[in-house]
Amino acid sequence: MLCSSLSMERLTFPFLFLVLSILSPSDGGSIGVNYGRIANNLPSAVKVVQLLKSQNINRVKLYDTDPAVLKSLAGSGIKVTVDLPNQLLPSAAKTPSFALQWVRQNVAAYHPSTQIESIAVGNEVFVDPNNTTRFLVPAMKNIHQALIKFNLHSTIKVSSPIALSALQSSYPSSAGSFRPELIEPVFKPMLDFLRQTGSYLMVNAYPFFAYESNANDIPLDYALFRENPGVVDSGNGLRYFNLFDAQIDAVFAAMSALKYDDLEMVVTETGWPSKGDENEVGASLDNAAAYNGNLVRRILTGGGTPLRPKADLTVYLFALFNENQKNGPTSERNYGLFYPSEEKVYDVPFTVEELKGYRDKRKSSSPVAGGGRLSTPVSGNVSPSVAGQTWCVASGEAGKAKLQPALDFACGEGGADCHPIQPGSTCYDPNTLEAHASYAFNSYYQKKGRAIGTCYFGGTAYVVSQPPSAYSYHFSLALAVLLY
């Protein structure tokens, strides 16, 4: 049957999603939390450790080496990641004795009673306004040498969390690459160091930021791990069902481009705010609960990403508490899983056992194309009464500079079925940008139920009441499949 692959995918994915949801895996990934303390109303460190244990959270990441916190974690069985702050990078890089003393006072003095498993040297150093990038790798090496002197190097890993802004390209995922100016001076020596020491790359990934900035283009279901048709990576043909996996694979692809396929990754921060300012699209209690709950299910049910299917991930949720003294927009103070009172902000599972009773409590249908805020250009006298007989076509006047990015989105994050317009496929001809864009735009439009706001594509598309003669055969096939 011509152009029929979409119908099978639409039948297969919900079934696969259901199977994955009810499995009781024995070997999945691991969930931890970030314990930030930029607040003046948090419970004592002793109470925090009791809270972590009561929730069966067995990994925690700190942003410093506060003695009270490290002492409270002693004997708890909770694995700990500590941080050497950015402001100490120059000293740790220039003076090996400083690094040795820091490890003695902040790591060796507590381990192994406090199970420190890794040291984050700095945090998102490349976006640090104090320009500490050049000190990063030397500091990492000196900290590792200090661990060797205390015979801790085999049990405590050294790494440094990077933000996704370290990528030059992240879409599609297969095109992931690091910023050119960072490759030779930082990434190659850092990745060499991680390989030599048996460590892993730490990555902070926030689908919320991508959704907030591109809510008209990124479906909310895709960002929240909810059921959706998926997005095909035009570079490798892999299909993604959530933005998190796509972001992680962009980093894996960037590592692969530099021949570091053997390195593992730990996601040291990810989360979604439960509250935000009026312009912070998507910041809400329901969305935060859905993102974190579905993420935990995604991680604990095992399996890696489409690019690394066998690589289970360790992921640290951000953050344990709402922190009332953080600067910036409202969202910055509302990433917490718990209020300072230790009450949950929303229900989220932390263990495989809790997953058995977990359901994504969806209160309303997802916005269309990011909330339906777009107004659709309409050609002719098309009215809602004939909405079932409308098609979305590309504007020949839009030009290649606008059409190509719109086509890339439709076939990528938009989730349009673009296999039939690939070279050699049944709907490849006519081989023009306008024809291919029309096919992809219409695929997206029909999948979205021909809803208002889904035939826009930055002003490069419009609605018609009859399929254009040049593409009518292909459009009829496509529509038949979409409505199968």
Side-chain angles (χ1 to χ4, degrees):
M1 178 179 173
L2 294 176
C3 305
S4 62
S5 61
L6 181 60
S7 61
M8 288 300 296
E9 288 163 351
R10 295 186 70 181
L11 287 171
T12 302
F13 174 65
F15 174 74
L16 180 61
F17 186 88
L18 176 63
V19 171
L20 290 176
S21 297
I22 62 177
L23 285 177
S24 296
S26 58
D27 296 312
S30 176
I31 293 293
V33 295
N34 284 273
Y35 175 20
R37 305 192 329 279
I38 305 179
N40 60 7
N41 58 354
L42 299 183
S44 68
V46 172
K47 289 186 176 181
V48 170
V49 173
Q50 292 172 348
L51 175 65
L52 293 172
K53 294 178 69 175
S54 72
Q55 300 297 319
N56 296 302
I57 298 172
N58 59 13
R59 274 193 163 94
V60 66
K61 177 172 164 287
L62 311 176
Y63 290 90
D64 54 21
T65 52
D66 183 88
V69 175
L70 292 176
K71 289 177 182 177
S72 297
L73 285 162
S76 67
I78 297 172
K79 296 179 180 179
V80 183
T81 295
V82 298
D83 181 80
L84 184 146
N86 287 357
Q87 61 266 28
L88 298 184
L89 289 177
S91 297
K94 295 176 181 178
T95 313
S97 60
F98 176 89
L100 182 66
Q101 182 64 12
W102 186 89
V103 168
R104 176 184 289 112
Q105 291 182 347
N106 300 289
V107 179
Y110 301 99
H111 186 83
S113 181
T114 298
Q115 294 185 31
I116 299 173
E117 64 174 344
S118 60
I119 300 172
V121 177
N123 184 57
E124 299 186 353
V125 174
F126 308 142
V127 296
D128 186 346
N130 295 316
N131 192 25
T132 53
T133 297
R134 66 186 184 279
F135 301 114
L136 177 58
V137 177
M140 292 172 71
K141 290 181 177 179
N142 283 342
I143 292 295
H144 180 71
Q145 287 300 316
L147 289 174
I148 290 176
K149 293 187 177 182
F150 288 103
N151 197 30
L152 297 175
H153 59 289
S154 61
T155 55
I156 299 178
K157 304 300 182 184
V158 175
S159 188
S160 182
I162 67 167
L164 291 185
S165 58
L167 298 180
Q168 172 75 9
S169 173
S170 61
Y171 179 80
S173 297
S174 57
S177 60
F178 294 118
R179 284 161 43 190
E181 71 274 17
L182 294 174
I183 291 176
E184 293 298 332
V186 185
F187 270 110
K188 282 189 175 180
M190 181 171 74
L191 296 175
D192 276 336
F193 167 81
L194 297 178
R195 174 183 282 165
Q196 292 164 5
T197 61
S199 189
Y200 41 77
L201 182 64
M202 294 177 169
V203 177
N204 296 344
Y206 286 89
F208 168 71
F209 294 144
Y211 177 77
E212 178 194 23
S213 302
N214 303 275
N216 290 328
D217 298 325
I218 299 175
L220 184 59
D221 285 350
Y222 183 64
L224 297 181
F225 299 89
R226 286 171 169 162
E227 185 176 342
N228 65 89
V231 176
V232 175
D233 187 309
S234 58
N236 57 23
L238 296 174
R239 184 174 288 272
Y240 288 83
F241 294 105
N242 64 78
L243 184 54
F244 174 85
D245 279 358
Q247 290 184 337
I248 297 307
D249 271 358
V251 182
F252 275 135
M255 293 163 66
S256 181
L258 298 181
K259 310 300 183 186
Y260 292 93
D261 304 81
D262 54 312
L263 290 182
E264 297 180 355
M265 182 192 303
V266 167
V267 180
T268 36
E269 285 185 24
T270 190
W272 196 287
S274 60
K275 185 179 180 181
D277 294 321
E278 186 176 348
N279 64 339
E280 293 187 279
V281 180
S284 74
L285 191 69
D286 291 343
N287 289 347
Y291 178 81
N292 283 312
N294 291 332
L295 170 64
V296 171
R297 177 169 56 190
R298 153 77 181 80
I299 298 302
L300 294 186
T301 52
T305 63
L307 192 60
R308 299 273 189 96
K310 296 181 180 180
D312 289 333
L313 290 171
T314 293
V315 174
Y316 289 81
L317 303 179
F318 185 88
L320 186 58
F321 294 109
N322 284 339
E323 298 172 70
N324 67 350
Q325 292 185 316
K326 294 195 73 173
N327 296 322
T330 297
S331 63
E332 285 294 312
R333 294 173 289 283
N334 288 278
Y335 274 91
L337 302 169
F338 293 87
Y339 295 109
S341 64
E342 301 181 45
E343 177 188 359
K344 280 188 175 182
V345 178
Y346 45 81
D347 287 328
V348 60
F350 295 112
T351 66
V352 171
E353 188 64 28
E354 290 176 348
L355 281 177
K356 294 177 181 178
Y358 171 74
R359 295 292 181 273
D360 178 356
K361 297 178 181 178
R362 187 173 189 159
K363 293 189 177 180
S364 61
S365 59
S366 298
V368 175
R373 288 179 295 281
L374 300 177
S375 57
T376 306
V378 177
S379 174
N381 297 316
V382 179
S383 68
S385 64
V386 293
Q389 303 174 18
T390 58
W391 289 263
C392 180
V393 299
S395 169
E397 299 177 356
K400 181 178 180 180
K402 291 184 178 180
L403 272 181
Q404 189 63 58
L407 173 60
D408 291 342
F409 163 74
C411 293
E413 293 187 15
D417 178 25
C418 295
H419 289 295
I421 56 175
Q422 300 303 309
S425 296
T426 54
C427 304
Y428 180 65
D429 293 319
N431 180 21
T432 67
L433 178 60
E434 183 182 349
H436 288 179
S438 290
Y439 184 96
F441 293 172
N442 188 61
S443 171
Y444 180 88
Y445 176 63
Q446 303 298 337
K447 283 170 58 181
K448 294 296 184 181
R450 300 175 293 283
I452 291 177
T454 60
C455 181
Y456 183 70
F457 296 96
T460 65
Y462 57 92
V463 174
V464 296
S465 58
Q466 293 184 356
S469 59
Y471 325 129
S472 59
Y473 173 66
H474 295 147
F475 271 29
S476 297
L477 286 173
L479 187 56
V481 172
L482 286 162
L483 298 179
Y484 179 76

Short mmCIF file of all heavy atoms in Angstrom, two decimals, residues 368-391:
data_model
loop_
_atom_site.label_atom_id
_atom_site.label_comp_id
_atom_site.label_asym_id
_atom_site.label_seq_id
_atom_site.Cartn_x
_atom_site.Cartn_y
_atom_site.Cartn_z
N VAL A 368 -2.60 23.00 20.90
CA VAL A 368 -2.22 22.63 19.55
C VAL A 368 -1.09 23.52 19.08
O VAL A 368 -1.18 24.73 19.14
CB VAL A 368 -3.42 22.78 18.59
CG1 VAL A 368 -2.99 22.51 17.18
CG2 VAL A 368 -4.54 21.83 19.01
N ALA A 369 -0.03 22.91 18.63
CA ALA A 369 1.13 23.65 18.13
C ALA A 369 1.57 24.70 19.11
O ALA A 369 1.87 25.83 18.75
CB ALA A 369 0.84 24.27 16.77
N GLY A 370 1.56 24.37 20.38
CA GLY A 370 2.08 25.28 21.39
C GLY A 370 1.05 26.19 21.99
O GLY A 370 1.37 27.23 22.53
N GLY A 371 -0.21 25.89 21.85
CA GLY A 371 -1.21 26.67 22.55
C GLY A 371 -2.24 27.30 21.66
O GLY A 371 -3.13 27.99 22.11
N GLY A 372 -2.14 27.09 20.37
CA GLY A 372 -3.13 27.64 19.46
C GLY A 372 -3.14 29.14 19.43
O GLY A 372 -4.15 29.77 19.16
N ARG A 373 -2.00 29.76 19.70
CA ARG A 373 -1.95 31.22 19.72
C ARG A 373 -1.81 31.80 18.31
O ARG A 373 -1.95 32.98 18.11
CB ARG A 373 -0.79 31.68 20.60
CG ARG A 373 -1.05 31.46 22.08
CD ARG A 373 0.13 31.91 22.90
NE ARG A 373 1.30 31.11 22.62
CZ ARG A 373 1.50 29.91 23.13
NH1 ARG A 373 0.60 29.37 23.93
NH2 ARG A 373 2.60 29.23 22.86
N LEU A 374 -1.49 30.92 17.34
CA LEU A 374 -1.31 31.41 15.98
C LEU A 374 -2.64 31.59 15.31
O LEU A 374 -3.60 30.88 15.56
CB LEU A 374 -0.47 30.41 15.17
CG LEU A 374 0.93 30.13 15.68
CD1 LEU A 374 1.58 29.06 14.82
CD2 LEU A 374 1.76 31.38 15.68
N SER A 375 -2.72 32.53 14.39
CA SER A 375 -3.90 32.66 13.55
C SER A 375 -3.53 32.13 12.17
O SER A 375 -2.48 32.45 11.64
CB SER A 375 -4.33 34.13 13.44
OG SER A 375 -3.27 34.91 12.94
N THR A 376 -4.39 31.29 11.59
CA THR A 376 -4.07 30.62 10.35
C THR A 376 -4.44 31.45 9.15
O THR A 376 -5.60 31.85 8.99
CB THR A 376 -4.82 29.27 10.27
OG1 THR A 376 -4.54 28.53 11.44
CG2 THR A 376 -4.41 28.49 9.05
N PRO A 377 -3.50 31.76 8.24
CA PRO A 377 -3.84 32.43 7.01
C PRO A 377 -4.76 31.52 6.20
O PRO A 377 -4.48 30.34 6.04
CB PRO A 377 -2.49 32.62 6.30
CG PRO A 377 -1.48 32.47 7.38
CD PRO A 377 -2.08 31.51 8.36
N VAL A 378 -5.86 32.03 5.71
CA VAL A 378 -6.81 31.22 4.95
C VAL A 378 -6.93 31.74 3.54
O VAL A 378 -7.04 32.94 3.31
CB VAL A 378 -8.20 31.24 5.63
CG1 VAL A 378 -9.21 30.47 4.81
CG2 VAL A 378 -8.10 30.65 7.03
N SER A 379 -6.88 30.83 2.57
CA SER A 379 -6.99 31.21 1.17
C SER A 379 -8.42 31.04 0.70
O SER A 379 -9.05 30.01 0.95
CB SER A 379 -6.06 30.33 0.33
OG SER A 379 -6.24 30.58 -1.04
N GLY A 380 -8.95 32.01 0.01
CA GLY A 380 -10.30 31.90 -0.56
C GLY A 380 -11.36 32.00 0.50
O GLY A 380 -11.20 32.63 1.52
N ASN A 381 -12.47 31.35 0.24
CA ASN A 381 -13.62 31.44 1.13
C ASN A 381 -13.81 30.18 1.95
O ASN A 381 -14.91 29.66 2.07
CB ASN A 381 -14.89 31.72 0.31
CG ASN A 381 -14.80 33.05 -0.40
OD1 ASN A 381 -14.37 34.03 0.20
ND2 ASN A 381 -15.21 33.10 -1.66
N VAL A 382 -12.73 29.64 2.49
CA VAL A 382 -12.82 28.44 3.32
C VAL A 382 -13.46 28.82 4.64
O VAL A 382 -13.10 29.81 5.27
CB VAL A 382 -11.43 27.84 3.57
CG1 VAL A 382 -11.55 26.61 4.44
CG2 VAL A 382 -10.77 27.48 2.24
N SER A 383 -14.42 28.04 5.07
CA SER A 383 -15.09 28.30 6.33
C SER A 383 -15.06 27.06 7.20
O SER A 383 -14.79 25.97 6.72
CB SER A 383 -16.56 28.70 6.08
OG SER A 383 -17.27 27.58 5.56
N PRO A 384 -15.35 27.20 8.49
CA PRO A 384 -15.33 26.03 9.38
C PRO A 384 -16.27 24.91 8.92
O PRO A 384 -16.06 23.76 9.22
CB PRO A 384 -15.77 26.61 10.73
CG PRO A 384 -15.37 28.04 10.66
CD PRO A 384 -15.58 28.45 9.24
N SER A 385 -17.30 25.27 8.16
CA SER A 385 -18.26 24.25 7.74
C SER A 385 -17.65 23.25 6.78
O SER A 385 -18.17 22.16 6.60
CB SER A 385 -19.47 24.91 7.07
OG SER A 385 -19.07 25.59 5.89
N VAL A 386 -16.54 23.61 6.15
CA VAL A 386 -15.89 22.67 5.23
C VAL A 386 -14.51 22.30 5.76
O VAL A 386 -13.62 21.93 5.01
CB VAL A 386 -15.77 23.26 3.81
CG1 VAL A 386 -17.12 23.42 3.19
CG2 VAL A 386 -15.00 24.58 3.82
N ALA A 387 -14.33 22.40 7.08
CA ALA A 387 -13.02 22.13 7.67
C ALA A 387 -12.55 20.71 7.37
O ALA A 387 -11.37 20.45 7.29
CB ALA A 387 -13.05 22.35 9.18
N GLY A 388 -13.50 19.77 7.20
CA GLY A 388 -13.11 18.39 6.90
C GLY A 388 -12.62 18.20 5.49
O GLY A 388 -12.20 17.12 5.11
N GLN A 389 -12.71 19.24 4.67
CA GLN A 389 -12.29 19.15 3.27
C GLN A 389 -11.23 20.19 2.96
O GLN A 389 -11.21 20.78 1.89
CB GLN A 389 -13.50 19.33 2.35
CG GLN A 389 -14.62 18.34 2.61
CD GLN A 389 -15.86 18.64 1.79
OE1 GLN A 389 -15.79 19.38 0.81
NE2 GLN A 389 -16.98 18.10 2.20
N THR A 390 -10.36 20.45 3.90
CA THR A 390 -9.32 21.46 3.69
C THR A 390 -7.94 20.83 3.70
O THR A 390 -7.74 19.77 4.29
CB THR A 390 -9.40 22.55 4.78
OG1 THR A 390 -9.27 21.95 6.07
CG2 THR A 390 -10.71 23.31 4.69
N TRP A 391 -7.02 21.50 3.05
CA TRP A 391 -5.64 21.04 2.97
C TRP A 391 -4.70 22.21 3.28
O TRP A 391 -5.10 23.37 3.18
CB TRP A 391 -5.33 20.51 1.56
CG TRP A 391 -6.00 19.21 1.24
CD1 TRP A 391 -5.46 17.97 1.32
CD2 TRP A 391 -7.34 19.03 0.78
NE1 TRP A 391 -6.38 17.01 0.95
CE2 TRP A 391 -7.54 17.64 0.60
CE3 TRP A 391 -8.40 19.91 0.49
CZ2 TRP A 391 -8.74 17.10 0.17
CZ3 TRP A 391 -9.60 19.37 0.05
CH2 TRP A 391 -9.77 17.98 -0.10
#
